[in-house]
Amino acid sequence: MNNLNNTADYSSQMDPNDVNDNKAMAVLAYLGLLVFIPIFAAPQSRFARYHSSQGLTLFIFEAVYSLIMTILSKTVGLIPVFGKITVAICGFIGIVWLVLSICGIVNAVNGRAKDLPVIGNIRFIK
């Protein structure tokens, strides 16, 4: 489990003033659709942009997951065993998204620019 959180850390490359000024923007990046606030409100902040990239990746994965689960939920009644397995998997993955959001928020509040576990190396914003 410790290796899971052993991800790239870019904190030393961030300007301390930028970090202090934009922690709130960085936190917003992990709150669903609010990810777009720091993207447009703090485009010059390297710290906010970094966390926006992490938050946008998480948001896209969550949106795709929700779409797939909506489609699969239509089949739950058709195949009872498959439905129970699907519900269990959905619950677990939902917890994973929550944990990743909390990891990102904790990193942002602590002024760290550290990749999220598992999905952190995927970038949609440079």
Side-chain angles (χ1 to χ4, degrees):
M1 186 69 158
N2 197 19
N3 288 337
L4 188 63
N5 199 30
N6 190 12
T7 60
D9 190 340
Y10 304 99
S11 302
S12 63
Q13 299 173 12
M14 300 293 162
D15 174 29
N17 292 326
D18 180 28
V19 170
N20 286 331
D21 292 345
N22 290 290
K23 283 183 181 180
M25 287 291 173
V27 168
L28 289 177
Y30 297 100
L31 301 176
L33 280 173
L34 297 182
V35 67
F36 293 105
I37 293 174
I39 290 172
F40 295 112
Q44 302 304 320
S45 168
R46 188 171 181 197
F47 185 70
R49 194 170 57 244
Y50 173 83
H51 284 286
S52 295
S53 176
Q54 295 287 292
L56 183 61
T57 301
L58 181 61
F59 178 71
I60 289 170
F61 272 84
E62 288 173 338
V64 170
Y65 163 77
S66 293
L67 178 65
I68 291 169
M69 294 323 316
T70 299
I71 293 167
L72 286 177
S73 71
K74 304 300 182 197
T75 64
V76 169
L78 300 175
I79 309 169
V81 174
F82 176 71
K84 291 179 182 180
I85 293 170
T86 302
V87 168
I89 291 171
C90 292
F92 174 74
I93 293 174
I95 292 170
V96 169
W97 298 142
L98 177 63
V99 168
L100 290 176
S101 293
I102 292 170
C103 286
I105 290 168
V106 168
N107 284 336
V109 168
N110 289 328
R112 294 172 44 202
K114 187 169 170 50
D115 283 352
L116 292 174
V118 183
I119 65 169
N121 60 349
I122 301 169
R123 303 268 195 272
F124 292 104
I125 300 174
K126 293 281 178 182

